[in-house]
Amino acid sequence: NAGVTQTPKFRVLKTGQSMTLLCAQDMNHEYMYWYRQDPGMGLRLIHYSVGEGTTAKGEVPDGYNVSRLKKQNFLLGLESAAPSQTSVYFCASSTSHPNTEAFFGQGTRLTVV
Amino acid sequence: AQKVTQAQTEISVVEKEDVTLDCVYETRDTTYYLFWYKQPPSGELVFLIRRNSFDEQNEISGRYSWNFQKSTSSFNFTITASQVVDSAVYFCALTDTGRRALTFGSGTRLQVQP
């Protein structure tokens, strides 16, 4: 009964370091998403995937890469972290039907110093 | 392009007051879906309700009610007799059949004082 699980929950990076955020869902959902949440700006879509092996850019994709090698996993990579990437990152998944809600992970708080 | 506007950045009320959170949306599509999510201080996002563009019926769930008006492109959320546990950030969101990813408003922070 896990739903959507994000790893890690917290991370501090130095500018220029790289890291990967892992999202795993156990609901057999086709669609998966990565959002970032910044104060006063709501959640903004970084990248999303409509199925295994597919990815697409969202509103704010610069500085991030993603991969969906397995249906249940969606990875978000930062190749060279910048302070502007300090944010809370949320992963979500949903079925392919637009009239269904997205299920969100608990979030990852990333600080880049 | 889709857009969701939540003009109220922060609202503060005293317990037992009624409060309405506004949501105005923009989309070119005739088929679309609207959602409300709650983000309590613990940080997770909790789904509250969804509504499709063909269903303009208002909905009530306990102390929560939603008013969907296509004529004004609004999907407002009212909490009746607010409680301290209602303190959270509330997000309105929109999607359509083409895009499939949610477009969020900037959120409204509700503080309910005892």
Side-chain angles (χ1 to χ4, degrees):
Chain A
N1 199 24
V4 180
T5 303
Q6 292 181 229
T7 309
K9 292 183 175 57
F10 302 93
R11 185 73 186 268
V12 178
L13 282 181
K14 293 183 178 179
T15 298
Q17 286 185 321
S18 63
M19 78 163 294
T20 300
L21 281 67
L22 172 63
C23 177
Q25 53 97 1
D26 61 3
M27 296 172 283
N28 202 35
H29 284 165
E30 288 294 328
Y31 290 15
M32 296 187 74
Y33 317 86
W34 277 106
Y35 288 88
R36 60 177 288 172
Q37 181 180 14
D38 302 294
M41 302 187 74
L43 280 80
R44 293 181 293 167
L45 184 67
I46 304 172
H47 287 280
Y48 64 101
S49 168
V50 299
E52 181 179 319
T54 73
T55 62
K57 294 180 179 179
E59 302 171 57
V60 289
D62 294 343
Y64 305 95
N65 56 75
V66 288
S67 64
R68 183 111 182 258
L69 299 179
K70 293 183 179 180
K71 185 177 183 179
Q72 64 267 34
N73 295 337
F74 194 29
L75 278 62
L76 178 71
L78 286 72
E79 290 185 348
S80 179
S84 61
Q85 294 178 303
T86 294
S87 188
V88 179
Y89 292 85
F90 284 96
C91 175
S93 71
S94 71
T95 72
S96 59
H97 298 285
N99 196 26
T100 57
E101 69 272 23
F103 292 81
F104 284 81
Q106 74 274 38
T108 296
R109 184 173 295 276
L110 175 66
T111 302
V112 183
V113 297
Chain B
Q2 297 180 332
K3 186 178 179 182
V4 177
T5 302
Q6 294 180 256
Q8 304 152 308
T9 305
E10 186 162 345
I11 301 174
S12 182
V13 299
V14 177
E15 211 170 16
K16 298 184 182 177
E17 284 186 27
D18 298 347
V19 58
T20 295
L21 309 183
D22 298 333
C23 173
V24 174
Y25 61 90
E26 296 176 29
T27 178
R28 295 176 183 171
D29 296 293
T30 55
T31 302
Y32 52 89
Y33 305 87
L34 294 159
F35 300 79
W36 276 94
Y37 282 84
K38 174 182 180 179
Q39 187 177 43
S42 51
E44 74 274 21
L45 283 150
V46 179
F47 165 75
L48 294 177
I49 191 172
R50 65 174 172 272
R51 175 68 71 229
N52 70 56
S53 54
F54 300 110
D55 182 4
E56 286 196 72
Q57 280 192 341
N58 293 332
E59 178 146 345
I60 298 174
S61 176
R63 296 184 296 106
Y64 295 172
S65 63
W66 291 268
N67 179 252
F68 175 34
Q69 291 194 341
K70 287 178 74 171
S71 60
T72 56
S73 296
S74 64
F75 186 40
N76 297 337
F77 173 30
T78 297
I79 301 175
T80 302
S82 59
Q83 299 177 1
V84 172
V85 294
D86 295 326
S87 296
V89 180
Y90 291 88
F91 291 99
C92 181
L94 164 72
T95 190
D96 60 42
T97 52
R99 180 172 169 80
R100 274 308 285 125
L102 290 167
T103 298
F104 283 84
S106 55
T108 297
R109 180 178 299 276
L110 174 65
Q111 304 250 28
V112 182
Q113 309 290 344

